[in-house]
Amino acid sequence: MTEERRAGLLAYCKLTELADDPEVQALIPALYDAAVGYMANAGVAAPESGTTRAAQFDLCVNYLVLSAYENRDVPITGTTVVENPIFRCILNQLKITENF
């Protein structure tokens, strides 16, 4: 991930002020790599930089990173533990692509 891409991702996630935080420094690159991998496994390769398709790809990756960052805890509604839907999507995709 380039510094420019990292800065844009941190801005999207509203983490710019926490850029030097060790937790953010460790998690954001890992979440970014996971999001790009998710997109690739979904059949969407990273498009050529500078195109409108690249901007759309980046927005999808940003969304996945932000969702993963914000939903690190197990959500509890009342007395019910709720599964994170993004986690389920990624897990299902990994199962489907296991033998590729």
Side-chain angles (χ1 to χ4, degrees):
M1 171 176 18
T2 66
E3 269 308 308
E4 181 181 8
R5 181 67 179 102
R6 182 178 179 276
L9 183 55
L10 289 172
Y12 181 88
C13 295
K14 297 186 179 185
L15 294 171
T16 304
E17 293 179 6
L18 298 174
D20 294 330
D21 181 281
E23 181 178 285
V24 171
Q25 287 181 348
L27 284 175
I28 294 301
L31 296 175
Y32 174 81
D33 288 344
V36 170
Y38 180 83
M39 296 291 286
N41 286 333
V44 182
E48 186 177 326
S49 183
T51 63
T52 56
R53 187 166 168 80
Q56 293 171 328
F57 180 87
D58 287 349
L59 282 175
C60 285
V61 168
N62 289 355
Y63 171 80
L64 289 169
V65 170
L66 178 59
S67 181
Y69 184 82
E70 288 184 337
N71 295 299
R72 291 170 289 158
D73 296 326
V74 175
I76 299 175
T77 305
T79 58
T80 306
V81 176
V82 180
E83 184 178 71
N84 179 335
I86 298 297
F87 167 78
R88 177 52 56 188
C89 289
I90 293 171
L91 180 62
N92 288 344
Q93 186 185 68
L94 286 171
K95 288 178 181 180
I96 292 168
T97 60
E98 178 73 24
N99 295 317
F100 289 111

